[in-house]
């Protein structure tokens, strides 16, 4: 039995408190009104004054030249009037982006850690349904990680509820009057999607999916523990778990796809992509597998998993490597198809990302593809713990940035910055995740001794 | 000078594996082992060094990637940068997504084919090659261990090999190659 050490608890609580403080600072920094944003933009412009001044001088001389032709006065008036209304619009735009910033930061971090739990649950179900002979020694670790979908799911649902009740403006399709013809917010494209994108139905779907996933997770844990207590040769609980896993995988792939449209793709309600569900799935799958590897290596280094050998780590590392490349394949397929055809209504998605998020957008592809590719290609390296941990940390960071680049351009646009709320929310949820996951792992023996494939798994050798 | 070598036949891969271990402990030299199918762990028991084919394949893959990049950079960007459907052929990087499928395929093509050819050359396999099979039964259900005793007592060696579970033992004059 694993016991949560007080050191781990202190680390987790410290992460949560520090993260919460940083997040609170992020909310406190949120501009109170449009006037504040206007002032801020004015000071920013003044700070840049030197450079722009020279350019303006050139312009004014050009205007002087034109003045001779006589229409200078009218054109001046026109441009002045236009400039003030444009400035107002710009300030309103930036104000919305800045007030979204801490909310989006919390949303990204909450979703990222929830997704790790869900990806692990899917991996667990795949291992059960495929009757894998190598992984039963890791089932309790997987059960521990996937337990996070209960608190993580509740937090996600609360965040969705807050958006639904207009506490924040993360989802533009929730704007007042977006489907009312003649309203200033009217948007014909979104109005056409209201049959699917409306708050009650959207919340209902989220609730139904969360209940379904948690039900399976609760059952599979229960079946595993019951199988431990069963008499020798009685594998009724194992069989039940097998059937539930097979059914869950069907449910999962449908609901995961819809979840990715609802929770991520609907940030850009004008845009759609058919392989988006797979893309999000690959991201959660690889993050989940990586977390299994990291926690397994941690527990083994503390001496709790004496039956796990380096072949198990090798297999996990192979999955990290393979699914990282699968993720890259989907990323590229989505990007290249849209880049190639260059249809305006689709391509804006990537135009904003390349223009405003250039380093992050391509940097996270490099992190998620090149690092795992080069670090984990060698068969010997996959058995060396610190190689796997290094690659794992890159993958975790890379997929956080992946989610960040999915959510941020539609919510904060060019006003993005990885500052207090982003780092704070990440640390807060990391602390919560560690606390909850290790607490669950400490609740049951680390060896699922009733599993019929356990013997094979203990002697697994690659 | 003609030396004697011994052909020891086995009918079970487990017996063969333990025999290989005993023969190596006895410090007899195993020239070769013939088996009808891959025996898991045989190369470890015989102490054969790991293959470097995978490293070869990795390097060949890099060659393929370079060939693809150089080829398309020359053809599409340098030699005749036409405007084809509005694709930006000003620099390689700008038009790279369109080249990635070819870069990928050529990497795999080079890695796979050159590695296979390397394998054929290193294991000396080609059409019309004379088969080097000392006994036809080794392709069906017998395992053969070829032992060079290096002038040790033949009777003692024969006795020892019988004890390791050999079902048949032949003494052969080694051909001078």
């Amino acid at each position: 039995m694993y016991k949560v050490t007080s050191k781990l608890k202190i680390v987790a609580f410290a992460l949560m408190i520090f993260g919460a403080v940083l997040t609170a600072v992020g909310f406190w920094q949120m501009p109170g009104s449009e006037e504040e944003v206007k002032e801020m933009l004015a000071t920013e412009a003044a700070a840049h004054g030197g450079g722009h001044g020279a350019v303006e001088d050139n312009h004014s001389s050009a205007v002087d030249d034109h003045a001779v032709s006589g229409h200078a006065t009218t054109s001046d008036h026109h441009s002045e009037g236009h400039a003030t209304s444009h400035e107002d619009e710009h300030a309103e735009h930036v104000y919305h982006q800045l007030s979204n910033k801490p909310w989006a930061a919390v949303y990204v971090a909450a979703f990222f850690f929830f997704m790790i739990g869900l990806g692990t649950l899917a991996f667990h179900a795949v291992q059960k349904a495929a009757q894998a002979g190598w992984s039963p020694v890791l089932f309790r670790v997987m059960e521990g990680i996937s337990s996070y979908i209960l608190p993580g799911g509740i937090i996600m649902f609360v965040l969705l509820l807050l958006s639904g009740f207009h506490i924040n403006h993360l989802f533009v399709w929730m704007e007042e009057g977006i489907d009312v013809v003649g309203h200033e917010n009217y948007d014909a494209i979104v109005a056409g999607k209201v049959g699917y994108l409306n708050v009650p139905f959207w919340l209902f779907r989220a609730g139904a999916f969360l209940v379904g996933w948690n039900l399976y997770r609760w059952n599979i844990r229960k079946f595993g523990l019951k199988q431990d207590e069963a008499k020798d040769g009685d594998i009724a609980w194992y069989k039940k778990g097998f059937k539930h896993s097979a059914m869950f995988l069907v449910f999962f792939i449908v609901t995961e796809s819809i979840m990715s449209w609802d929770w991520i793709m609907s940030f850009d309600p004008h845009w759609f992509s058919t392989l988006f569900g797979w893309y999000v799935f690959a991201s959660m799958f690889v993050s989940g597998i990586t977390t299994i590897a990291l926690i397994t290596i941690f527990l083994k280094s503390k001496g709790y998993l004496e039956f796990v050998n380096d072949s198990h780590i090798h297999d996990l590392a192979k999955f990290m490597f393979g699914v990282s490349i699968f993720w890259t394949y989907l990323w590229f397929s989505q990007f290249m198809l849209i880049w190639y055809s260059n249809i305006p209504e689709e391509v804006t998605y990537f135009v904003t990302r390349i223009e405003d998020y250039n380093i992050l957008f391509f940097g996270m592809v490099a992190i998620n593809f090149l690092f795992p590719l080069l670090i984990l290609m060698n068969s010997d390296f996959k058995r060396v713990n610190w190689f796997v941990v290094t690659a794992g940390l890159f993958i975790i960071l890379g997929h956080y940035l992946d989610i960040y680049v999915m959510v941020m351009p539609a919510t904060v646009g060019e006003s993005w910055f990885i500052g207090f709320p982003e780092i704070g929310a990440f640390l807060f949820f990391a602390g919560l995740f560690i606390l909850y996951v290790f607490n669950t792992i400490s609740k049951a023996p680390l060896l699922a001794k009733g599993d019929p494939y356990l013997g094979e798994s203990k002697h697994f050798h690659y | 000078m003609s030396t004697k070598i011994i052909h020891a036949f086995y009918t079970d891969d487990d017996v063969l594996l333990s025999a290989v271990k005993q023969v190596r402990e006895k410090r007899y030299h195993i020239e070769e082992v013939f088996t009808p199918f891959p025996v898991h762990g045989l190369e470890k028991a015989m102490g054969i060094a790991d293959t470097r084919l995978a490293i070869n394949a990795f390097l060949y893959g890099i060659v393929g990637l370079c060939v693809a990049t150089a080829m398309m950079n020359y053809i599409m960007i340098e030699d005749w940068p036409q405007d084809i459907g509005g694709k930006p052929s000003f620099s390689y990087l700008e038009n790279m997504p369109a080249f990635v499928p070819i870069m990928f395929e050529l990497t795999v093509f080079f890695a796979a084919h050159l590695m296979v050819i390397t394998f054929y050359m290193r294991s000396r396999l080609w059409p019309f090659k004379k088969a080097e099979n000392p006994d036809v039964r080794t392709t069906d259900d017998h395992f053969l261990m070829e032992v060079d005793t290096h002038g040790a007592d033949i009777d003692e060696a024969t006795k020892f090999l019988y004890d390791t579970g050999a079902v048949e033992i032949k003494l052969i004059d080694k051909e001078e190659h």
Side-chain angles (χ1 to χ4, degrees):
Chain A
M1 286 283 270
Y2 171 74
K3 203 169 167 299
V4 187
T5 56
S6 57
K7 206 169 131 192
L8 192 81
K9 270 187 201 159
I10 291 168
V11 169
F13 276 119
L15 282 174
M16 283 176 75
I17 293 165
F18 185 56
V21 170
L22 290 189
T23 313
V25 171
F27 276 98
W28 176 73
Q29 278 179 335
M30 212 160 90
S33 64
E34 277 176 42
E35 275 61 44
E36 263 180 54
V37 175
K38 261 187 220 166
E39 268 173 46
M40 197 185 77
L41 289 174
T43 32
E44 255 176 43
H48 290 292
H52 285 290
V55 182
E56 269 162 30
D57 280 348
N58 285 342
H59 274 292
S60 59
S61 62
V63 169
D64 285 346
D65 290 344
H66 278 290
V68 184
S69 62
H71 64 256
T73 36
T74 47
S75 72
D76 268 357
H77 274 293
H78 182 76
S79 65
E80 250 171 46
H82 192 75
T84 35
S85 76
H86 185 72
E87 242 166 52
D88 278 354
E89 251 176 50
H90 180 59
E92 193 196 342
H93 188 61
V94 174
Y95 169 66
H96 280 308
Q97 292 184 338
L98 289 181
S99 24
N100 270 342
K101 197 171 168 294
W103 284 108
V106 170
Y107 190 93
V108 169
F111 179 78
F112 176 68
F113 283 98
F114 172 75
M115 154 181 122
I116 291 178
L118 192 59
T120 305
L121 188 67
F123 189 71
H124 188 53
V126 169
Q127 297 300 312
K128 289 245 176 202
Q131 304 186 337
W134 67 279
S135 54
V137 293
L138 301 172
F139 278 176
R140 286 291 142 79
V141 177
M142 296 184 204
E143 284 168 10
I145 300 170
S146 63
S147 72
Y148 181 73
I149 67 165
L150 182 62
I154 292 170
I155 291 169
M156 276 310 294
F157 195 74
V158 169
L159 283 175
L160 298 180
L161 268 181
L162 291 178
S163 291
F165 286 126
H166 301 288
I167 308 295
N168 55 46
H169 300 278
L170 286 180
F171 296 90
V172 282
W173 57 267
M174 288 176 187
E175 287 297 311
E176 194 71 39
I178 199 146
D179 59 335
V180 180
V181 184
H183 196 282
E184 59 166 344
N185 285 337
Y186 178 68
D187 182 329
I189 296 175
V190 175
K193 298 184 180 183
V194 152
Y196 181 77
L197 280 184
N198 61 75
V199 173
F201 187 31
W202 178 76
L203 283 177
F204 167 75
R205 287 195 300 268
F209 299 166
L210 284 168
V211 167
W213 299 331
N214 274 292
L215 206 63
Y216 168 72
R217 163 37 244 184
W218 189 71
N219 271 330
I220 201 71
R221 170 75 163 185
K222 191 180 77 183
F223 297 164
L225 293 179
K226 293 253 188 199
Q227 183 62 56
D228 275 8
E229 294 157 12
K231 286 199 299 275
D232 267 357
D234 173 21
I235 55 164
W237 290 108
Y238 165 80
K239 284 184 173 168
K240 225 173 156 165
F242 173 79
K243 280 182 197 150
H244 277 242
S245 301
M247 289 188 295
F248 167 74
L249 284 171
V250 177
F251 175 76
F252 171 77
I253 204 59
V254 175
T255 52
E256 187 276 336
S257 205
I258 299 175
M259 176 273 276
S260 72
W261 311 335
D262 282 2
W263 297 7
I264 310 267
M265 199 157 80
S266 79
F267 281 115
D268 300 271
H270 284 194
W271 181 81
F272 59 88
S273 162
T274 41
L275 61 69
F276 198 76
W278 280 109
Y279 174 62
V280 174
F281 165 74
S283 206
M284 67 167 62
F285 210 47
V286 72
S287 316
I289 294 166
T290 304
T291 311
I292 298 171
L294 292 179
I295 292 185
T296 305
I297 289 173
F298 173 77
L299 287 175
K300 183 157 173 63
S301 74
K302 298 284 169 203
Y304 288 105
L305 296 171
E306 73 280 358
F307 36 83
V308 170
N309 58 42
D310 58 0
S311 290
H312 294 106
I313 306 294
H314 188 123
D315 257 34
L316 284 170
K318 268 194 284 193
F319 269 108
M320 285 159 64
F321 175 75
V323 183
S324 281
I325 288 168
F326 177 62
W327 173 88
T328 315
Y329 165 67
L330 292 174
W331 175 84
F332 182 71
S333 301
Q334 181 168 278
F335 172 69
M336 195 264 235
L337 287 180
I338 290 175
W339 172 87
Y340 210 113
S341 57
N342 206 18
I343 300 171
E345 66 249 40
E346 300 187 328
V347 86
T348 48
Y349 184 82
F350 287 110
V351 169
T352 50
R353 277 159 183 78
I354 290 172
E355 279 180 1
D356 301 333
Y357 291 75
N358 198 292
I359 303 245
L360 270 195
F361 184 60
F362 291 111
M364 68 97 182
V365 178
I367 292 173
N368 286 334
F369 174 60
L370 287 183
F371 282 94
L373 182 84
L374 296 175
I375 298 175
L376 294 178
M377 191 188 292
N378 190 313
S379 186
D380 296 331
F381 290 179
K382 289 202 262 285
R383 292 163 180 275
V384 181
N385 283 348
W386 71 267
F387 268 109
V388 179
V389 171
T390 310
L393 293 177
F394 276 122
I395 291 173
I396 293 287
L397 173 75
H399 284 281
Y400 171 77
L401 293 179
D402 183 22
I403 304 296
Y404 187 87
V405 175
M406 285 188 216
V407 172
M408 287 296 177
T411 48
V412 306
E414 65 271 32
S415 308
W416 71 274
F417 179 69
I418 297 193
F420 290 121
E422 285 81 6
I423 295 169
F426 185 88
L427 295 181
F428 175 81
F429 284 105
L432 182 67
F433 182 85
I434 290 170
L435 199 66
Y436 199 85
V437 165
F438 280 96
N439 192 42
T440 313
I441 290 176
S442 73
K443 291 273 169 63
L446 279 165
L447 191 63
K449 68 175 171 29
D451 196 284
Y453 286 98
L454 191 69
E456 185 180 336
S457 179
K458 271 179 165 174
H459 300 111
F460 173 68
H461 168 75
Y462 168 72
Chain B
M1 186 191 115
S2 83
T3 47
K4 302 274 184 196
I5 54 168
I6 300 174
H7 280 180
F9 290 79
Y10 297 86
T11 49
D12 187 278
D13 47 346
D14 286 335
V15 179
L16 174 78
L17 266 183
S18 78
V20 166
K21 282 172 195 152
Q22 291 173 48
V23 171
R24 288 195 73 212
E25 266 170 37
K26 186 86 174 169
R27 303 248 169 241
Y28 286 154
H29 177 68
I30 301 175
E31 286 277 298
E32 192 67 270
V33 174
F34 295 86
T35 65
F37 53 79
V39 177
H40 187 74
L42 183 61
E43 78 285 0
K44 275 218 175 63
M46 288 172 69
I48 293 172
D50 278 345
T51 172
R52 286 166 298 187
L53 264 184
I55 299 168
N56 271 297
F58 179 70
L59 298 175
Y60 295 147
I62 291 174
V63 172
L65 186 64
C66 294
V67 168
T69 310
M71 177 183 80
M72 285 181 298
N73 184 50
Y74 176 69
I75 297 174
M76 303 300 289
I77 310 296
E78 283 175 11
D79 189 39
W80 195 359
Q82 285 188 100
D83 182 344
I84 304 167
K87 284 278 159 296
S89 17
F90 308 109
S91 74
Y92 192 77
L93 205 60
E94 263 184 300
N95 210 1
M96 197 182 83
F99 302 143
V100 166
I102 298 148
M103 291 158 72
F104 171 76
E105 291 295 345
L106 278 187
T107 306
V108 175
F109 180 87
F110 272 62
H113 290 84
L114 291 179
M115 176 177 73
V116 167
I117 293 168
T118 308
F119 167 71
Y120 284 152
M121 285 165 59
R122 287 295 287 144
S123 36
R124 312 171 63 71
L125 284 172
W126 52 82
F128 313 114
K129 178 196 162 75
K130 191 170 168 288
E132 296 168 356
N133 191 7
D135 191 298
V136 287
R137 288 171 298 170
T138 59
T139 63
D140 182 19
D141 60 350
H142 277 63
F143 304 81
L144 190 162
M145 189 200 295
E146 203 174 84
V147 183
D148 187 343
T149 55
H150 285 299
D153 186 52
I154 298 291
D155 287 339
E156 193 200 319
T158 312
K159 172 84 177 53
F160 172 75
L161 284 171
Y162 264 121
D163 289 345
T164 62
V167 292
E168 188 181 324
I169 289 180
K170 282 183 186 165
L171 191 63
I172 287 182
D173 278 326
K174 198 175 182 180
E175 293 166 35
E176 298 292 336
H177 286 290

